[in-house]
Amino acid sequence: MTTVVWAVANANVALVKYWGRAPGPGHQPAGTSLSLTLEGLASGARVARRPPRAGADRVAWAPPGPVAELGRFVAHARAQLGIEHPLDVVVTSNFPVAAGLASSASAYAALTTALAALATGRPSADRLAALARQGSGSACRSMLGGFVQWRPGDDVGAVTQVAPPEHWPLAVLVAVTAAGPKRVPSREGMRRTRASSPFFEAWLAAGEADLAAVREAVRSRDLPALGAVAERNALRMHATALGADPPLLYWEAATVSVIRQVWRLREGGVPAFFTVDAGPQVKVLCEPGDAERVGRALADVPGVLRVLRSRPGGAPRTVPQPPSWALSGGLSQNLSRDLSWTVGEAV
Ligand code: PMV
């Protein structure tokens, strides 16, 4: 009987954002979102059986994080998957946590994948996506690789792959502008936006057109078309959140500076496009051939702490050995050198 399982999952960046839950139970989204899974920005989950007599589960984030939510998720998942033994669970990530980099998405996708390996029977991919969503909505999109759509509903096909990672070898650069957790977790931010932003219904209505446009841009691998919609959708999400009472401002000064730098790059003929999730970091899409130049331009912006490089990534998987970054505990320092620019340093 397997007693220890490691699983690894990638983060994702939303091109059409999930920002607002449907009323009622089950963490259903109010609208359909579409994301790109990001290779190498990963979380790892270690799940080990404890002796039956041990009683309770033991859960931990490394570095430390909100364990109460993690504990509730593990209890729920065990009941869903028929895991009778109590468990030892540790979840870790190789990039800044809880700061708008979707670390909760990769964390809960990795954990769901590890738990599934201990399940009685073989839970379907749809069931596992629905389970991952209970930890963090966007985690269900990290259960698949490439371009992934998530629409409301629990039926088969609520989470689907629109195109595999190899369909379009884009580069994705992440300009990290602040370390540490974001001020308002997305769950609370969504609740507040829905309850008090006068722009919320308009935001939902506009999302339908963005979704159709992104699907078409992905199909035809049209970066200017994809980028235009991704920028518009991100700005509208933040405009809607700014309209909440009290307002939600996730950006730092450097966030705006990076956006302006992306626009300057474009004026100079480099097709680069940004998006921003619920945090101060800016993700930039460009052609792989332009990634070096774009990465340096982002690292030059005052206030940018570092720039990470990624590309379309694959689905979660169990791994026989833990990834090296998961063992060393240094985490974000451990992204491989070729994946990151450090500000002021030649690559
Ligand atoms: O998955 P959550 O509950 O952390 O919410 C994610 C919200 C955004 O990242 C802002 C948008 C998205 O679609 O991922």
Side-chain angles (χ1 to χ4, degrees), residues 14 17-19 104 136-138 141 186 190 237 277-278:
K17 312 281 187 203
Y18 153 54
W19 193 254
S104 60
S136 155
S138 55
R141 296 188 314 234
S186 30
M190 287 186 206
M237 181 197 107
D277 282 323

Side-chain angles (χ1 to χ4, degrees), residues 57-74:
D57 298 317
R58 273 199 315 215
V59 302
W61 297 95
V67 280
E69 280 170 26
L70 189 61
R72 278 195 294 275
F73 177 81
V74 170

Side-chain angles (χ1 to χ4, degrees), residues 103-225:
S103 60
S104 60
S106 48
Y108 281 102
L111 179 52
T112 301
T113 304
L115 290 167
L118 298 179
T120 15
R122 281 190 164 218
S124 70
D126 288 295
R127 249 188 92 201
L128 292 177
L131 177 58
R133 199 185 72 215
Q134 305 297 316
S136 155
S138 55
C140 66
R141 296 188 314 234
S142 274
M143 293 300 288
L144 294 172
F147 294 84
V148 182
Q149 177 177 303
W150 171 31
R151 62 158 167 75
D154 264 331
D155 48 323
V156 171
V159 181
T160 50
Q161 187 182 66
V162 171
E166 56 279 8
H167 168 72
W168 195 359
L170 282 171
V172 183
L173 301 171
V174 184
V176 179
T177 61
K182 59 190 166 203
R183 294 194 181 94
V184 182
S186 30
R187 197 167 289 189
E188 162 58 15
M190 287 186 206
R191 190 205 59 72
R192 196 189 297 173
T193 305
R194 181 175 195 111
S196 62
S197 176
F199 313 136
F200 185 70
E201 291 304 324
W203 151 250
L204 286 185
E208 289 298 313
D210 288 353
L211 182 74
V214 164
R215 287 184 61 109
E216 176 51 28
V218 169
R219 195 195 60 74
S220 55
R221 290 192 280 255
D222 182 340
L223 178 58

Side-chain angles (χ1 to χ4, degrees), residues 255-279:
T255 311
V256 179
S257 303
V258 172
I259 289 173
R260 291 202 180 283
Q261 183 78 316
V262 170
W263 285 340
R264 261 193 299 275
L265 280 164
R266 250 189 1 250
E267 281 158 20
V270 182
F273 300 86
F274 71 83
T275 182
V276 186
D277 282 323

